[in-house]
Amino acid sequence: MDDDSPRSAAVLAEMNQLKTRSRRLAHGGAWLPALALAAVPLASIALYRHPFSSAINSGTQAQSPDGVTIEYPYWAGLPEQQHSALASYLFWLVLAPLTFVLVAQWYRRRESRRGVRVNWRIPIAAGGAGLLALLALLAAPTGTPAAFTWWHGPLTPLLSIALAAIALGFAERSIGVAVAGLWLGALAWQFCATGFVGGLLGWQDWLLAGGSGPALGGQLGLGLDRPALALLVMTLPLVLVGAYRAVRFRGQLT
């Protein structure tokens, strides 16, 4: 009886090690979908006419330096002047689905080569639902943002990427990926709802002012009022999580 106890403990420990290794192997492929999803908003920087300068000032009419009024829905993703609404629309309707196809093929390949399965259809379905909602934006009213309006927040294709990232985090059991998706979605909604890249909500403006003055909202400086830098900050957590998981997964293979 005494001899069997150490053997049983050793077998149980070995089984736990195998389960842990299998779990790590199964969820070790999240790095590519995370980086692929982050690459889409970063690539959308090319859609803006002034990606490295602020074209709108908070508290004024949403107008670019060229005198062109910024209107919603925000086809490029953020409330800034774009090169072409049609080009922005085609960008999201082509590149986003291609990214989802890449992610699906990645998981299919892992299933066939490594015999591990992840419920990858959940993030694909979430991103697809976001794209279907993007099609509904064709019927959305157009206009110039003048003040904070909560329903302007969803009028951006960036939410489809955010939804896919959040669902990916649940499928991969990764809190980091899910939080990165929430960060991307929250900032996209906030900037579009306020009508300004880097736009602040009233309570945020009040906190940054040290709890003094009226909570009227405003626009965050530090370069975050520029589309390129704003998108970089919005996607940075997803990039960092994807890079970390890639390094970690590579270490597990060696």
Side-chain angles (χ1 to χ4, degrees), residues 228-245:
L229 294 181
L231 286 168
L232 179 60
V233 170
M234 293 165 69
T235 56
L236 184 59
L238 196 55
V239 172
L240 292 178
V241 172
Y244 168 75
R245 293 183 71 95

Side-chain angles (χ1 to χ4, degrees), residues 158-210:
L158 287 168
L159 290 185
S160 64
I161 301 298
L163 288 174
I166 294 171
L168 176 66
F170 281 101
E172 289 283 3
R173 300 179 183 178
S174 171
I175 297 177
V177 175
V179 170
L182 285 171
W183 171 261
L184 173 61
L187 288 184
W189 177 88
Q190 177 172 322
F191 294 163
C192 292
T194 56
F196 305 103
V197 179
L200 294 172
L201 301 176
W203 65 269
Q204 295 171 336
D205 187 28
W206 182 79
L207 285 178
L208 291 176

Side-chain angles (χ1 to χ4, degrees), residues 51-88:
F52 298 100
S53 63
S54 178
I56 305 177
N57 293 320
S58 177
T60 63
Q61 185 184 21
Q63 196 173 65
S64 74
D66 301 331
V68 178
T69 300
I70 312 298
E71 294 186 340
Y72 57 83
Y74 307 113
W75 300 118
L78 294 175
E80 282 283 343
Q81 187 180 2
Q82 57 194 345
H83 288 291
S84 167
L86 178 60
S88 299

